[in-house]
Amino acid sequence: MVTKTINQLHFEDLDPIRFEELILSIVYRMRRWLKLDHLGKKGSDDGIDIRAVEELENGKNKTYYFQCKRYSKITKAQLHKIIDDFLDKNTEIPDLYTLVISCPLSKKQIDDFEEYAKNNGFMTVSIWTNSIIECKLYAEYQDLLFAYFGINLTEKRNKKVNSIRRNITLKKRMHNDFLKAYGCKDRDELNERLHSPMRKFNESEVLIRSIDDTDYPENALLEKDFMGYFKAEVYNFYHNGLQVIIGVKDIRVKQYEGLDGDKFTIETIRVAEIGYLPFDNIIDYDYNGDEYYMYPHLYCDFVNRNDPFEKIGYACEQSYGWTIIDDDLVIRE
């Protein structure tokens, strides 16, 4: 399955002041600050873009300085110059100095910068590289991700939430309509429903229809290489939707010798072909059908062009009833 990914954020495309404002927005939420200043916006920041003061429980103050550098790359000499420039313009060294830089740094560069800073009197030094900033945005500050880069993860999350709620509602409706409402009369009927799951359904057949089909009740497969609808037999509900029987075929399967053995033989068996129809792909259904097919119609999104299934599996009838065949036992041609 192909997964859609989002490219790495390009902080270097932001205006320098805009980059500082992004970091200021992150810093603002880190603590309940006693004082917070954005010094870099008007220039002449003396190597301090953001200054923050935290009041500790013992009543003492702890100072934090943040220096923002919107670079696409940086050298060892430039890293040292950041420290040198700061010391030339300031007499006070903060409790925590953080260099925020929009490009990646190697471990050697980070270690060298931290050592150089501490050798020059800095107590605690940290570095936020582009990947650290990006992680913070995706994990903790998704509203800033949208405000500065237009990436709306909140909307995606809401879609997932709505999809889950919609599928739960659909599942309850289908269970209520499709399954027999009355209980089992005796143990024999109970065993029959357990081992032949299709027996618990009110209707044995369904019509699976594409939401894109405009030719119903015609089914001009030869003309357009697209089957707008087809009949299937219900098999069972599963965790993600409805299993339906779409055909019968012969397949080759592994038959292991003993419970713990590695040896197996290959046999050909006749099976029911099972389509796994997820609730996601069932748009809605008409339980009563129509004058052409008087059983439930499932209106589906045919995500595979000719069917709406998320997978195809197999079931076979044993002496004790029906069972789903483990995918690992099936030999795919």
Side-chain angles (χ1 to χ4, degrees):
M1 181 177 68
V2 177
T3 302
K4 184 177 180 181
T5 59
I6 298 174
N7 292 329
Q8 190 174 46
L9 299 177
H10 290 275
F11 297 103
E12 67 275 10
D13 292 341
L14 294 176
D15 177 88
I17 296 301
R18 191 68 173 151
F19 179 63
E20 288 181 17
E21 290 172 343
L22 169 62
I23 303 306
L24 177 65
S25 297
I26 295 175
V27 172
Y28 174 79
R29 304 183 192 187
M30 288 172 52
R31 302 278 194 283
R32 188 179 294 275
W33 301 109
L34 178 65
K35 185 179 181 182
L36 180 64
D37 299 312
H38 182 196
L39 305 174
K41 192 165 186 177
K42 294 185 178 180
S44 302
D45 54 28
D46 293 336
I48 310 168
D49 290 315
I50 301 168
R51 178 176 59 195
V53 180
E54 178 187 19
E55 185 177 17
L56 304 178
E57 291 183 359
N58 60 10
K60 294 183 178 180
N61 292 340
K62 184 176 181 179
T63 57
Y64 298 73
Y65 288 176
F66 296 84
Q67 180 66 40
C68 303
K69 295 294 183 182
R70 190 188 54 85
Y71 292 166
S72 58
K73 59 182 179 179
I74 193 168
T75 65
K76 175 181 176 179
Q78 288 174 312
L79 286 168
H80 286 189
K81 190 174 186 302
I82 291 172
I83 296 297
D84 294 338
D85 287 346
F86 178 90
L87 294 173
D88 287 342
K89 299 174 182 177
N90 296 276
T91 56
E92 177 187 355
I93 293 180
D95 296 297
L96 175 62
Y97 176 91
T98 300
L99 173 63
V100 184
I101 191 162
S102 62
C103 64
L105 295 180
S106 67
K107 180 180 181 299
K108 185 177 181 180
Q109 284 179 303
I110 293 173
D111 292 343
D112 179 78
F113 177 80
E114 290 178 346
E115 182 180 2
Y116 187 79
K118 289 179 180 179
N119 288 340
N120 281 276
F122 285 76
M123 292 171 280
T124 305
V125 176
S126 68
I127 299 177
W128 293 359
T129 60
N130 59 332
S131 57
I132 297 297
I133 306 168
E134 186 169 316
C135 285
K136 288 179 178 292
L137 291 173
Y138 276 103
E140 304 174 54
Y141 309 109
Q142 294 180 4
D143 59 321
L144 298 180
L145 194 63
F146 177 70
Y148 285 83
F149 297 96
I151 299 175
N152 192 344
L153 296 184
T154 303
E155 181 180 353
K156 293 180 180 179
R157 183 181 183 278
N158 288 340
K159 286 182 179 179
K160 290 181 181 179
V161 170
N162 291 335
S163 176
I164 290 172
R165 288 173 176 166
R166 177 258 182 199
N167 287 349
I168 291 174
T169 300
L170 178 62
K171 175 183 177 181
K172 290 178 179 178
R173 283 178 55 210
M174 291 187 70
H175 276 232
N176 185 62
D177 288 340
F178 283 69
L179 297 178
K180 293 177 179 177
Y182 55 86
C184 300
K185 294 179 292 186
D186 50 38
R187 183 173 293 275
D188 289 339
E189 185 175 350
L190 174 62
N191 286 331
E192 183 181 52
R193 291 194 190 183
L194 287 174
H195 299 298
S196 298
M198 63 284 289
R199 303 294 186 189
K200 62 188 176 186
F201 286 83
N202 291 315
E203 299 285 346
S204 61
E205 297 176 321
V206 293
L207 192 70
I208 297 177
R209 297 179 56 177
S210 169
I211 58 173
D212 296 315
D213 180 31
T214 58
D215 296 329
Y216 180 86
E218 301 297 329
N219 206 348
L221 175 61
L222 295 178
E223 294 180 10
K224 58 182 180 181
D225 191 29
F226 169 70
M227 184 178 293
Y229 64 91
F230 57 89
K231 184 174 72 173
E233 297 179 35
V234 293
Y235 179 80
N236 201 1
F237 282 108
Y238 70 109
H239 72 280
N240 204 37
L242 179 69
Q243 295 166 316
V244 296
I245 300 173
I246 56 176
V248 176
K249 65 184 298 185
D250 293 332
I251 64 170
R252 299 166 68 213
V253 296
K254 300 174 184 177
Q255 296 282 4
Y256 282 91
E257 300 174 6
L259 296 177
D260 301 321
D262 294 329
K263 296 182 179 180
F264 61 85
T265 58
I266 297 177
E267 296 186 11
T268 299
I269 61 173
R270 177 147 292 193
V271 296
E273 196 171 13
I274 305 295
Y276 286 69
L277 176 54
F279 292 120
D280 263 342
N281 294 344
I282 302 174
I283 306 305
D284 209 338
Y285 64 89
D286 178 1
Y287 188 80
N288 296 318
D290 57 24
E291 69 272 25
Y292 296 103
Y293 300 94
M294 292 179 286
Y295 44 79
H297 292 201
L298 304 182
Y299 294 88
C300 302
D301 185 1
F302 278 30
V303 293
N304 303 315
R305 181 167 174 77
N306 280 328
D307 71 68
F309 304 125
E310 64 177 342
K311 66 172 281 190
I312 301 295
Y314 304 102
C316 65
E317 188 174 16
Q318 308 280 6
S319 58
Y320 54 83
W322 285 85
T323 182
I324 294 290
I325 299 174
D326 192 322
D327 288 340
D328 293 335
L329 298 179
V330 178
I331 298 177
R332 307 286 179 178
E333 301 297 339

